Amino acid sequence: MTSGSTGKKAADTALIIRRQSASDRVVALAGNPNVGKSTVFNALTGLSQHTGNWSGKTVTNAQGRCEYQGNGFILVDIPGSYSLMAHSAEEEVARDFLCFGKPDVAVVVCDATCLERNLNLVLQTIEIMPRTVVCVNLMDEAKKKKIRIDLDQLSRQLGVPAVGVCARAEKGLDDLLEQVAACAAQAEAPDPPKVAYPLAVEQALQRMAPAVQLRCGQALPARWLALRILEGDPALLESAGNYLGVPLREDPMLDSLRREALDSLAQAGIPPEKLQDEIVSALVRRAEQISSQVVHCEQGGYHDRDRKIDRILTSRFFGVPLMIALLAGVFWLTIVGANYPSRWLSAGLFWIEERLAEIFAWAGAPDFLCGMLVHGAYRTLAWVVSVMLPPMAIFFPLFTLLEDLGYLPRVAFNLDRYFQACDACGKQSLTMCMGFGCNAAGVVGCRIIDSPRERLIAILTNNFVPCNGRFPMLIAISTMFFAGAFPGPLQSFGSALLLTALILVGVLATFLGSKLLSSTILKGIPSSFTLELPAYRRPQIGKTIFRSVFDRTIFVLGRAAAVAAPAGMLIWLMANVTVGGGTLLSHCAGFLDPFARQLGLDGVILLAFVLGLPANEIVTPIMIMAYLSTGSLIEMESLETMRQLFVANGWTWVTAICVMLFSLMHWPCSTTCLTIHKETQSLKWTAVAFLFPTALGMAACFLVTQIARIWM
Amino acid sequence: MNGIRPLASLQCGQEGRVCDLAVTGSMRRRLQDIGLIVGTKIECVQKSPAGDPTAYLIRGAVIALRKEDAKGVLVFCDGRYPG
């Protein structure tokens, strides 16, 4: 499989830096995954790039601006990576920006509780960017774990400034900016000490460097470039070659230089296949050496608490049940908590609607205008807001808390074995978690998966996780039709269980789909896998809740305005324009009806899903509008009225199951489809992503319907 | 139990030192990048519910590896249990 066919190249390398003034300096923010890089970025820029306690939160370059003493800085938050030798698409984004994005200064964010491992990237960054500032974050966590970091010594050893910060408490950021400003202002780039490679390698580099500089100019450090030419990584050399305008891999002079150097290295006992080992070992040993002088640990067992928690959360017997219980608990809180605010919102918004209609009547506006704008656009908007907003504003903060705590990598750890059985990657569970928010985000998140094949599987199956727009519909239908089986006070509990079961069906579909794909069109062996289990961190509860309620509100309102309102208008027109004895809507629904019946649905439901392509949020409003002969939504004060409407239109519990199944498994929304196309750079895979879940969903619905028919 | 053996055979709480990496390609570089070179101390800390992958403590960070990959890392154990 070529990188072109799987979109490995899709990562946005062509980042456009948006300077506010010509004197703005560009600062690249690099670091290992999960060191609080995004927190530093947010604290500096005042933006709210989503952060999370697991690798791969930042998959694209985000930028923001900050000022310090009159100097402007454009901060570019690049994806976390362990090394500048890229393994995955997101690491390639990071490396390409650091190496070829011409930042003025690089800031490498490190985790104070795990400095040694972080120093590998620091050393590699300094090799290419002498203007580097090391930002040691999480100083508070280190203090808690009784780890002391000697920053002066670190700075001396590295030959670049080192600043200790605690980004969450916004401590030390001024110092950091001061050092960045000083670093950017220096006329001459500093010359920090180089990592010493084995003697034979050093000799080869000394011979190559002048000739490399002559051929390639000074845009990249000659020593660094010579080392990369020796290593011969094709992807890196191609990027570097494009940047320099020199075909590094085909250039005869460089090639003969390389051959000569490799020969002499081989004679010195370092054959090409061992060269990489020597280079990495030199970096790791240097990091170890620095760390031994800089990090002072008063107490050996500082991991004890985390290990104790892990022994429960990932234990053989309780790991998976606890995971499901947590999910069900989150759903229960969401359902219980969303009930009242939903009612208040809907009462308020529909009161406004009546006033709006009165204003239209008073102004003498034509009926169709009032119908289209008030009963079409506004009513759908109000419906989407009142039904979507409360559950989302409760679910996401809860989920974000779990995320900040560091629980999600444990989910990936618990589930990897099953993904392995499907020849897929355990990190897929992380991208599934992102899919709960938005499938488009989940698809972009798939960049954290190293292998192009496994990444594609994750992209194609991401839609089996119900997103933001589908959740409330699933909650509503399961509550309407099935929670009644539970005695009164336990009903919310029942809906939570049903929803959990439905998510598990989605997870099962993901496994099944992954297995199906990897045994047919995406054959291959599982690739290797490394997953970091970060230290648990206490989430900033207040800040998280505030932030994510705010974010969700904006998101839901934005979607409602951008998609639901225009769609509402369109549906109103379709429901009110009569052609040949029926409305447009009824003609379309009638056309789809025979086919839909085979799937346990009806024409209206299938039409709602088709029209819901731009956004899943509008599927339920369309169904309701179509069922009501008035051609627009009536006031849906309670789920009971809605249920009666559905039952009056022939719904049974089989219909409810099929609608939920189809909602779980059908084509991705248009935004997600566009994102898939952008990520895979292929129409073929976008088509597969559209057809595959649809086929699976239709098969499931058909099966359920046929079985139910025999049984009933 | 002592001597050279694959990392995958370590039980929770056991530790050893890397003496050879018998994996190739990008996984080799990946393991090296997270600090796994000859001589590195590595401790098995946690098995996942299904027994695979397993989490190891490597230079202060906890990293999960699959059994397939851990088989390719040879460690030397002197049989002592830490703690």
Side-chain angles (χ1 to χ4, degrees):
Chain A
M1 192 169 302
T2 65
S3 62
S5 73
T6 54
K8 199 165 186 250
K9 291 264 173 273
D12 16 17
T13 40
L15 176 79
I16 296 154
I17 300 291
R18 294 185 293 272
R19 280 189 172 82
Q20 278 182 17
S21 87
S23 63
D24 279 0
R25 301 303 183 102
V26 178
V27 179
L29 211 57
N32 281 185
N34 193 48
V35 293
K37 215 160 45 61
S38 297
T39 315
V40 173
F41 176 83
N42 291 345
L44 287 175
T45 59
L47 291 175
S48 55
Q49 164 92 325
H50 193 126
T51 62
N53 187 6
W54 51 284
S55 347
K57 256 339 272 208
T58 316
V59 284
T60 53
N61 292 327
Q63 57 177 307
R65 189 173 185 275
C66 72
E67 264 185 41
Y68 179 74
Q69 294 183 345
N71 302 307
F73 297 101
I74 305 289
L75 265 75
V76 182
D77 187 11
I78 59 181
S81 56
Y82 291 113
S83 143
L84 292 185
M85 296 305 295
H87 300 273
S88 62
E90 52 145 11
E91 282 183 319
E92 205 169 305
V93 174
R95 188 209 53 205
D96 284 353
F97 186 75
L98 262 186
C99 300
F100 315 124
K102 293 190 200 147
D104 294 301
V105 179
V107 171
V108 185
V109 183
C110 298
D111 176 351
T113 64
C114 184
L115 190 63
E116 184 181 335
R117 215 264 322 278
N118 290 249
L119 285 175
N120 184 5
L121 181 70
V122 173
L123 291 167
Q124 289 189 48
T125 308
I126 292 175
E127 281 187 333
I128 178 125
M129 270 291 294
R131 286 181 202 266
T132 292
V133 176
V134 176
C135 163
V136 185
N137 190 23
L138 301 170
M139 291 296 274
D140 53 337
E141 292 284 326
K143 202 172 164 191
K144 257 189 237 159
K145 293 181 173 175
K146 300 206 168 25
I147 301 168
R148 205 164 52 77
I149 312 268
D150 184 345
L151 291 165
D152 292 335
Q153 178 70 351
L154 179 63
S155 175
R156 258 198 305 283
Q157 292 283 333
L158 290 170
V160 300
V163 187
V165 309
C166 171
R168 293 197 339 178
E170 311 206 343
K171 278 187 196 149
L173 296 172
D174 276 348
D175 290 348
L176 176 64
L177 284 176
E178 192 184 324
Q179 293 296 345
V180 170
C183 198
Q186 274 172 2
E188 197 119 328
D191 186 25
K194 307 272 182 293
V195 173
Y197 294 110
L199 189 64
V201 178
E202 287 292 339
Q203 283 168 345
L205 288 180
Q206 253 168 32
R207 272 198 302 278
M208 284 175 78
V212 168
Q213 191 164 50
L214 207 64
R215 181 76 188 83
C216 304
Q218 298 199 351
L220 291 171
R223 179 187 160 87
W224 182 84
L225 195 55
L227 206 53
R228 301 291 87 84
I229 291 173
L230 271 183
E231 278 181 332
D233 174 24
L236 176 61
L237 287 181
E238 200 177 306
S239 300
N242 290 338
Y243 173 70
L244 294 166
V246 179
L248 293 176
R249 295 174 66 199
E250 291 92 32
D251 190 83
M253 196 275 278
L254 292 176
D255 193 51
S256 71
L257 210 59
R258 173 169 186 259
R259 277 171 207 279
E260 247 171 66
L262 286 178
D263 280 347
S264 66
L265 279 175
Q267 275 167 14
I270 305 179
E273 66 273 13
K274 275 197 70 186
L275 179 66
Q276 178 198 304
D277 292 10
E278 295 290 344
I279 293 172
V280 188
S281 298
L283 287 164
V284 173
R285 292 226 171 78
R286 178 75 187 126
E288 190 179 283
Q289 202 184 358
I290 295 175
S291 165
S292 72
Q293 297 182 40
V294 170
V295 182
H296 304 284
C297 193
E298 287 169 32
Q299 185 186 322
Y302 58 80
H303 275 97
D304 286 358
R305 190 200 55 173
D306 286 354
R307 295 294 73 77
K308 270 182 205 146
I309 302 175
D310 272 345
R311 268 198 281 278
I312 301 165
L313 291 183
T314 67
S315 84
R316 180 145 173 229
F317 297 109
F318 300 117
V320 176
L322 266 177
M323 206 166 63
I324 296 172
L326 262 173
L327 192 70
V330 168
F331 288 148
W332 181 73
L333 285 173
T334 305
I335 291 169
V336 171
N339 208 350
Y340 291 98
S342 252
R343 269 186 225 169
W344 300 330
L345 266 175
S346 109
L349 289 171
F350 285 110
W351 182 84
I352 294 175
E353 188 201 310
E354 283 165 26
R355 302 294 87 76
L356 278 177
E358 281 170 17
I359 292 172
F360 271 83
W362 173 80
D367 273 356
F368 86 91
L369 197 67
C370 174
M372 205 167 76
L373 291 179
V374 179
H375 298 125
Y378 179 82
R379 207 171 253 194
T380 312
L381 188 139
W383 200 89
V384 168
V385 171
S386 61
V387 173
M388 298 282 157
L389 194 52
M392 289 307 115
I394 296 171
F395 177 79
F396 282 93
L398 290 175
F399 203 77
T400 313
L401 287 180
L402 280 182
E403 195 177 316
D404 285 352
L405 200 67
Y407 184 64
L408 297 194
R410 271 76 189 182
V411 172
F413 183 60
N414 284 343
L415 291 180
D416 177 66
R417 180 71 193 84
Y418 309 105
F419 281 104
Q420 207 179 332
C422 303
D423 300 323
C425 177
K427 288 182 192 167
Q428 201 171 325
S429 27
L430 297 178
T431 65
M432 285 163 72
C433 290
M434 295 176 85
F436 274 125
C438 166
N439 292 123
V443 165
V444 178
C446 292
R447 289 187 191 173
I448 59 171
I449 296 170
D450 302 354
S451 137
R453 186 188 69 86
E454 289 165 6
R455 184 170 155 229
L456 204 46
I457 292 179
I459 290 178
L460 297 182
T461 55
N462 192 270
N463 202 42
F464 294 134
V465 179
C467 67
N468 223 330
R470 288 184 277 168
F471 247 110
M473 174 180 175
L474 296 174
I475 297 178
I477 295 179
S478 64
T479 309
M480 266 188 281
F481 282 87
F482 302 100
F486 293 83
L490 288 180
Q491 284 199 357
S492 56
F493 193 66
S495 334
L497 281 184
L498 284 167
L499 196 56
T500 311
L502 211 60
I503 300 300
L504 292 181
V505 170
V507 173
L508 205 70
T510 306
F511 285 132
L512 208 79
S514 303
K515 183 76 198 168
L516 212 65
L517 286 170
S518 59
S519 51
T520 53
I521 47 176
L522 282 167
K523 269 189 193 151
I525 47 159
S527 75
S528 44
F529 165 85
T530 52
L531 172 80
E532 185 173 356
L533 302 181
Y536 290 100
R537 284 178 209 151
R538 186 188 310 176
Q540 296 169 289
I541 297 174
K543 207 171 178 179
T544 304
I545 292 180
F546 175 76
R547 196 65 259 174
S548 70
V549 167
F550 188 69
D551 285 353
R552 280 301 126 188
T553 310
I554 298 281
F555 183 84
V556 173
L557 290 179
R559 291 275 282 194
V563 190
M569 211 142 65
L570 178 77
I571 309 302
W572 187 87
L573 281 176
M574 282 180 76
N576 286 281
V577 175
T578 319
V579 181
T583 63
L584 272 176
L585 201 65
S586 62
H587 282 306
C588 293
F591 172 76
L592 290 172
D593 201 63
F595 176 65
R597 295 270 170 207
Q598 294 302 311
L599 306 176
L601 311 173
D602 64 30
V604 168
I605 302 170
L606 193 57
L607 181 67
F609 277 110
V610 172
L611 294 174
L613 179 68
N616 284 293
E617 286 92 332
I618 59 174
V619 171
T620 330
I622 296 175
M623 288 192 310
I624 296 173
M625 227 191 259
Y627 282 143
L628 290 164
S629 48
T630 55
S632 62
L633 275 131
I634 54 154
E635 284 173 51
M636 284 295 153
E637 277 149 12
S638 67
L639 284 177
E640 185 48 33
T641 4
M642 210 159 120
R643 198 185 77 88
Q644 282 166 7
L645 175 70
F646 286 167
V647 170
N649 280 280
W651 280 47
T652 62
W653 61 272
V654 183
T655 325
I657 288 184
C658 288
V659 170
M660 290 195 287
L661 278 178
F662 200 68
S663 170
L664 205 58
M665 300 183 274
H666 70 290
W667 48 84
C669 75
S670 54
T671 316
T672 308
C673 285
L674 288 175
T675 311
I676 293 172
H677 182 248
K678 198 170 148 226
E679 289 297 305
T680 59
Q681 298 278 297
S682 139
L683 269 178
K684 182 185 122 194
W685 289 119
T686 313
V688 173
F690 188 94
L691 297 172
F692 181 63
T694 310
L696 217 58
M698 284 184 174
C701 288
F702 181 75
L703 218 67
V704 168
T705 313
Q706 299 313 315
I707 291 171
R709 269 182 200 163
I710 296 165
W711 195 33
M712 280 179 10
Chain B
M1 287 299 277
N2 296 355
I4 293 171
R5 53 193 191 136
L7 180 61
S9 70
L10 251 55
Q11 294 303 310
C12 282
Q14 290 184 312
E15 63 173 29
R17 278 184 191 277
V18 176
C19 55
D20 193 18
L21 289 182
V23 284
T24 53
S26 77
M27 187 57 182
R28 185 182 182 88
R29 175 75 199 218
R30 175 65 101 197
L31 292 175
Q32 290 169 334
D33 274 336
I34 56 172
L36 221 53
I37 59 169
V38 172
T40 304
K41 195 173 94 174
I42 183 165
E43 182 190 333
C44 172
V45 288
Q46 179 76 40
K47 302 240 172 209
S48 72
D52 182 25
T54 303
Y56 299 94
L57 181 62
I58 303 166
R59 296 183 189 268
V62 178
I63 291 173
L65 300 175
R66 283 180 177 172
K67 197 179 267 169
E68 266 317 298
D69 300 318
K71 275 182 189 163
V73 179
L74 297 177
V75 291
F76 178 78
C77 300
D78 58 9
R80 282 183 305 114
Y81 284 75

